[in-house]
Amino acid sequence: MKKWLAILLSNLLLLSVANMVSAYPGMQAQSKQATQSTLERISVLPQPFPIALVDFTDASGQQVNFERYKGKVVVINLWATWCPPCVRELPALHRLNQALDSEQYVLLPISIDADADKIVKPFLADLGLSAFDSYFDPQQQLRDVFPLDTIPATFILNEQGELVAYVRSYIDWDDENAISFLAQFSKSSKKAQ
């Protein structure tokens, strides 16, 4: 009985604190400041890991692989139209792509939708992202390189085409530190600092 009463009292205390936080905007601001950046979810590998070259399709229907992008830091985002966190991430990815120096970085959003070539362009247009180019892997051939069981997933390759970081979750790419986070993988950015 005492244990049950202690649990009830602790739950009531937590509930009253939660109500106080929601009632006072100043407390909410402090809570938001304490929120950590989603960039902290990204795992940086202790050393670069070579990956196999697997083909996927670009917006014009041509087969490409990561070899094409050697010399740049490559941000690969695997997504699908049926994945709500993926769709939530797309506008921020578009803004990140616009902010990145195309001489040093390339963003490759790759849809794994089965009918990607038919549904992705209209889907992006409905989101107001018709200028956002997506790549396609409808047969999920990239499964040979990256796990596809959890999306969105982002994989970062260094300028030599080696895997250096990854995250299998939604990331807020509007984070003010996103570009400086990616810069750690660019030799060109390190020379400029």
Side-chain angles (χ1 to χ4, degrees):
M1 176 83 172
K2 288 182 183 181
K3 188 176 182 180
W4 177 82
L5 185 59
I7 292 171
L8 178 64
L9 288 175
S10 67
N11 285 339
L12 287 174
L13 178 63
L14 287 173
L15 185 59
S16 66
V17 169
N19 287 336
M20 282 181 13
V21 168
S22 64
Y24 296 101
M27 290 181 89
Q28 286 179 333
Q30 289 174 347
S31 295
K32 287 181 183 175
Q33 287 174 350
T35 302
Q36 295 180 340
S37 167
T38 58
L39 295 173
E40 293 177 8
R41 295 180 191 159
I42 301 173
S43 297
V44 177
L45 299 177
Q47 59 186 14
F49 185 80
I51 61 167
L53 295 177
V54 175
D55 288 344
F56 53 97
T57 308
D58 69 12
S60 64
Q62 300 298 311
Q63 293 290 310
V64 293
N65 61 45
F66 302 122
E67 180 76 21
R68 175 190 277 187
Y69 306 103
K70 275 198 174 174
K72 297 182 181 187
V73 172
V74 181
V75 180
I76 303 153
N77 180 266
L78 300 171
W79 71 282
T81 57
W82 45 263
C83 165
C86 300
V87 175
R88 177 181 171 207
E89 193 175 37
L90 289 175
L93 280 168
H94 178 60
R95 290 186 289 275
L96 174 68
N97 193 38
Q98 292 174 323
L100 289 173
D101 178 354
S102 62
E103 295 293 317
Q104 296 178 28
Y105 304 95
V106 64
L107 173 68
L108 301 176
I110 303 174
S111 167
I112 61 169
D113 285 287
D115 293 322
D117 57 335
K118 296 175 188 153
I119 63 172
V120 169
K121 286 183 183 182
F123 180 81
L124 291 172
D126 286 346
L127 291 176
L129 297 172
S130 50
F132 186 64
D133 287 330
S134 183
Y135 296 77
F136 314 113
D137 183 24
Q139 289 81 33
Q140 298 184 11
Q141 296 178 113
L142 288 171
R143 179 181 313 276
D144 294 343
V145 180
F146 307 120
L148 298 180
D149 59 325
T150 301
I151 56 171
T154 302
F155 301 90
I156 302 170
L157 308 182
N158 64 14
E159 294 157 324
Q160 292 75 43
E162 301 165 314
L163 182 66
V164 290
Y166 70 94
V167 62
R168 296 175 62 198
S169 174
Y170 164 86
I171 295 294
D172 178 9
W173 293 107
D174 284 326
D175 187 306
E176 63 186 17
N177 297 312
I179 293 175
S180 61
F181 178 85
L182 294 172
Q184 70 183 302
F185 307 114
S186 170
K187 289 182 181 176
S188 305
S189 292
K190 289 177 186 173
K191 288 177 187 174
Q193 292 176 354

